Amino acid sequence: MPRPESKTITFTIDGREVSAPENTMLVDAAKLGDVEIPVFCYEPKLGQPVGACRMCLVEIEGIPKLQTGCSTPVKDGMVVYTQSDRVTIAQQAVVEFLLINHPLDCPVCDKGGECPLQDITFGWGGGISRFVEPKRHFVKPLELSPLIAIDRERCILCYRCVRFSQEISEDYQLVLLDRGAHSYVATFDGHPYVAPFSGNIVELCPVGALTSRAYRFRARPWDIESAGSVCTLCPAQCNVAVTVRDERALRVLAREHPEVDDGWLCDKGRFAYQSFHVPERITQPLVRDGGFLRPVSWERALDEASAGLRRAGARAAGVAAGTTTSEEGLLLARLLREGLGSPHLDARRSGTVSTGLARALAAPALQARVSDLEFAHAVLVLDTEPVDDAPILDLRLRKGVRRHRTKLAVASPGATTLAEPATLCVRFAPGAGAAFAVALAAALRGEDHAALARDAGAEADQVAALSDLLRGSESDEAQGPHEVVILWGERLTAGDSADHGAQALLSLADALGLADTDGAGLLEIPAHANGRGLREAGVLPNAGPGYGELAGAAGRDAAGIAAGLAAGELSAVYLLHCDPLRDLPDRQAWGEALASASTVVAHASHLTQGIREHADVVFPAEAYPEKEGTVVHPDGRVQRLRPAIAHPGEVRHEWRVLAELAERAGLELTLHSGAAAAELLYASVPFYAGLTLDEIGGRGVRWQERAAATELGAAAPPAPGPGAASASAGEAAAYRSLWDAPEVEFSPTLEFLFPHPELLADDRAASAELLAPELETAS
Amino acid sequence: MSPLGWDTAADLEKPPAEIPSPGEVDVPEGLRAEIEAHMANYPDRRSAALPALAAAQREHGWCSPQAIAQVAAVMRVTPAYLESVASFYDMLETEPVGRHSVYVCTNISCSLRGADALLADFQRAVDGDPEVNVRAFECLGACDIAPMASVDGVYVGPLSSQDIPALLDDVRAGRAVLPERQLARRLVADPHANSTEFPQHPAQGAAHGGANLELPTEDPATARGRREPR
Amino acid sequence: MAAADTAAPMLLFTDIDEPGLATREVYERRGGYESLRRALAMSPEDVLAQLEASGLRGRGGAGFAMGKKVSFLPKGAMDKYLVCNADESEPGTFKDRELMQKSPHMLVEGIVIASYAAGATRSFIYIRGEYVLQADALDAALAEAREAGYVGDDILGSGHSLTLVVHRGAGAYICGEETGLLDSLEGKRGNPRLKPPFPANQGLYQGPTLINNVETLATVPAIIRMGGEEYAKLGVETSTGTKLVSVSGHVQRPGNYEIELGIPSREIVYGLAGGPPEGRGVKCWFPGGSSSPVLTADDLDLPYDFDTLAKAGSMLGSGAIIVVDDATPILDVAMKTAKFYRHESCGKCTPCREGTNWTVKMLERIDAGEATPMDLEIMASVQEHIIGNCLCVLGDAMAMPIGSMIAKFKDELEAHMERARLRRGSGDRIASDSALAAQGALANDPRTMLGATGAGDQAPGAHEGAPGTHRGGA
């Protein structure tokens, strides 16, 4: 679907000529001429303007009535006045109206100092109010949810929050009740507003009516600094701005990136920062001593880890997950491969895709961008539940359907939260994603797919309907190439059917001509936040950096490592931000594996069960705003983490820890800074060649769009093989939801969303016992 | 429903109010059928919100949380969506009320003819009767029979305070209210409208020509009869 | 122009009380649905040409040319909608009620003809929920019309198909505003929408939509029967045809009258409706519902048509004349008006939501003796700040009549204010109205003419915002 394009026109505003793209709304076009038109209800992210607050009234030559600048598209030759007497009177009138029932309790309001109502009153108000009647007063603040407090006195009824709930997240839980001057924002029958994206309303509120319960009264705007970062709590890697006071994160706000997050955050991304500053956080190295983990000095912890790993040598293995940066992944790979001589490492949850297929799937021409989800003619969500796997993409899919009439199809083993916006929902048997893709590819090629569909546990006519939808109708074809994006989950290539799934994807791409169509392509949601970056850094059993060939034989994948440990064939395992009991499939196998391992080295921020019971050495993990390193977005955007807050306690940069262990194992790295580590990474991955921190900047850069992308090499994909893939039942069920994470569990206002309340008490108690102040002094 | 409003916090013990899953809410079969029939009338099922809520109100007496949950379950929308709609419209009750409704029009034309006093007398007359919901209403579109009321949907007027006991007796007994004063029987005021004297319609009690237009006796503005044809 | 002494032509009210007119049998016997047959034999373009030639202006309030409105709909194959606005809620207006109750087939016939001209295939009658009797009459007529093939697929073999659904509202004045109506019909709160886009391009379900008032559509069969040009000979040049007027308030014969546009207003108020009771004069009158700025007795000789009333600073609106006699305090009229719009403001845009609320509070303060003449200036300025600055016309609908009352009855309002102030003060000092009366302060106090103002209203400022309570306030 063509992206909006427009020619540049010239209009006059307050006497000066300004160039702007045609049909830009006046309030936005005015900014290009350094003219600010005040707004409250206008927020382009929320969709079409509603013109409710009337703050943006302007005078346009030739139109008798004042017009709302938020909804008037600018035209060539338009003459606009924003400071004429008529406009000034109207602006002052609107401010006076808005303040009639506003309590003006700015001295005790969290929004004070960063409040659009304050700013606009100061900038455009008349300075006085003629309203002498009593204002209304009510109980405040009230809980709207465990996360959000509502102060209805302050509300100016701009509609932003309810529009978000109804038109963006489409949860339709937050509404206006009653009408006229009695209207108020509320939920049904006193139910809390709990939905995956609810926190965005706090950021949208232009007054202090909706506030974060975790942030209330923690700081004033002049106490704080803002530091840009990237949330690495899930693969969506939303751009964020961390509010910092006294070197601590006090708040996380969206840092809008149209190619990443569109300016929204999920509640985990917004509120999980609390887990960085809780007593349960591990802030010093721990070593198991006499059966108990005890805090020790860094030197001792490094000694123990180094000794244990060297003892294991080629029988060591490593698993990376969570917030691991690409540099950390690369260093882990080099520690294992070069320092210990072990090829056993993985950053995938399950299964191994052969190198050729992995390269083929990574081919730049096949990669869809996030914005393609919004503008494609059709999107197939295949074996992933975006709201659980990369929540912010759920909003993008809804936006596409709502604003651009994208046809959305969902193929999944269970019910999907996208059923309402979807044109078509198709089910297949749990674990049969690859088999389903094979059947769909057959249908797209016009082959008989009935038996294949049956093998996948899907209805043949539904597969046919999906095929029709993805092909588009003849009238669609008349409008140019039919752009299709397939958003697929890593589980499609899980277990034994990994290669099968990959092949099926490639044949889908082939049948739909994805590689040849701009705006079409594949977009994978990996299981781990930096899954793509880690694979590209070579944290795979069968490939080096940049999907390069290995010198020796391939190693074991994650499941193989578990089996090897349990069988005694492996003896040590390095868990980089991974508690296998939580993060990996087959909890039982991993329980046995960890119990059998002689050395378990872990990087962890919280003492979850696997770490608590099995780790021999625990290095304190950094929270993402403490990190320095590179992460790669699922669409190939290389992004950069820069330290925004200080390390608490004795936490160190983890790349240093890994580099130290690698050097102790005999590597010569001589890395003195995070920048040097990044340089090493960019030099190691051929298609990152020449990347610099400057080039990545604050917005990241997609490596596919750089010249070095050709370094990936064109791997001829193996011919797509027919036949059914084996369904690995139970695999789907083993995927954990976004909320099943220590960051949720240990964030006070967020813990109510943690799906395993029974674990909470154990984890808390263990942490309290182990990390109690008197023990922290031990060494 | 607990009277929610400005001063009420959300109950954090409750789960979020999402679209009820099938089977989660029991819906009376008749109500379900009626709502589904309404939904079939429109290209978008949400259009059925008003008729569906009205049906649920007839079933439950008001738009109680239970009533709204039932509509939500059939229409596949969130209860908050429906609550928001219900609270916008005057005829949908979001608090418990009596089964019988007496809407007394107190807008300009009626109040010029004594509607405010009539309302006060009505309210005194039903004080303590939980079955009758007397409320002021904005212009009901019957200023020709001012002051008037809509009694369970039936327009009657002109009314005076003396009519109240008989009217309430009719309501409580389930009879047609003040049949002689019902709008249904009133002829058009325009003297030129009807070229012929029509045979008396069975439902039309009063003589042709608007002679049934009675103004409250205490209103000095009272005037009877009609002008001579031009 | 019709002279006052000749009988007005009857197009809509002809034998309106004939028993059984609401049935198809009687309606057809009287020539009903003949216009539909005639229209279907013409091309849609020719039907549209007749409508344009008739000069028929919308009878709902805005007075926009009906034919032109139809012509704004885009051509081509797409789902187009026709919506009949039967949400007759403008205070003082009850003409559509009479039509729908007594001659529902006339409306159905008009809708089918208009849909044919506009190329609409789905239509809805949005009728206010309070009109139970009328909605039932429409539903019954519609069932008969469907049975006879006047509504449905391939109407009378013409190839034109139309679905028609009677949609009952639930009590909200704002749903009479066309975009508020559309939102309500889509099952939402009846909040007006920002225009553009106009309904002709993006209306119901985002499709092209024609919205017309009941009376407008009910006039269509007559236009087809007599021909557009013939119809245009009725009335005056820019206000053609006949018009139903609802006369209420202080008149001796309140009710609906069908008049030829352009007759003197006095002929309606005094001639038809009998004027105020004996011994009373007209203090002011709303010529087109409570949203129209009030006119005074001096204006009664103005011809009753769209343009004349607009020139006089008011409007013909929905054709609802509310007469206020000279014994009524203007403050009470203002209070009723303002409270109505406060109650009916949807709350979406700021000036209307806050301005209506503030105006009521100021009026209450005047009545409570807590205001000074400066407050009248503030009130007038608040009305000016509302006018033209709102999302839809509801805010203006209060501010214009209130503004007109302040301008035209400033002396009376100041005197009212002063009396109220003295009365309030007297509670402490003089202790009786008789003492004030002795000073002449209560001379000609007409308060006793009305019932206590706003019985059941809240005291100013008392927990004003509590939800649920506004329903009791009138």
Side-chain angles (χ1 to χ4, degrees), chain A residues 52 54 130 133 178-179, chain C residues 189 344 349 365 381 389 470:
Chain A
R54 315 307 286 176
R130 298 169 298 171
E133 286 77 9
D178 225 308
R179 74 175 185 223
Chain C
R189 295 156 66 84
E344 298 294 349
C349 83
R365 212 149 46 77
S381 141
N389 288 343
H470 80 282

Side-chain angles (χ1 to χ4, degrees), chain A residues 672-756:
Chain A
H672 295 300
S673 68
E679 217 170 288
L680 179 67
L681 171 73
Y682 306 152
S684 305
V685 179
F687 45 81
Y688 292 173
L691 262 180
T692 64
L693 300 187
D694 274 354
E695 189 183 350
I696 295 171
R699 316 298 279 168
V701 58
R702 287 184 76 223
W703 64 256
Q704 297 95 330
E705 290 164 9
R706 301 174 70 252
T710 52
E711 297 295 324
L712 174 67
S726 64
S728 41
E731 171 66 20
Y735 274 77
R736 68 182 171 85
S737 102
L738 178 83
W739 307 99
D740 184 1
E743 293 85 8
V744 175
E745 183 182 359
F746 290 101
S747 287
T749 68
L750 205 53
E751 72 171 51
F752 77 104
L753 292 172
F754 184 61
H756 307 294

Side-chain angles (χ1 to χ4, degrees), chain B residues 6 42 47 81 84 89-91 106-107 109 112-113 116 138-139 141 144 186 188 190 193-195 226-227, chain C residues 15-17 97 102 128 167 170-171 184-185 187-189 205 248-249 251 253 258 271-272 336 343 465 467 474:
Chain B
W6 287 77
Y42 306 92
S47 280
Y81 173 87
S84 176
Y89 295 92
D90 283 344
M91 292 174 70
T106 54
N107 205 291
S109 292
L112 289 173
R113 287 174 170 262
D116 296 301
E138 295 301 352
C139 186
D144 45 350
R186 184 180 158 81
V188 72
D190 194 318
N194 296 312
S195 56
R226 54 193 293 247
R227 68 167 179 150
Chain C
D15 294 341
I16 189 88
D17 286 314
R97 184 204 75 204
K102 297 179 177 175
R128 59 179 305 187
H167 181 93
S184 181
L185 186 47
K188 305 171 188 163
R189 295 156 66 84
Y205 311 121
S248 67
V251 289
R253 288 186 295 276
E258 181 166 4
L272 292 168
K336 275 289 170 195
H343 179 75

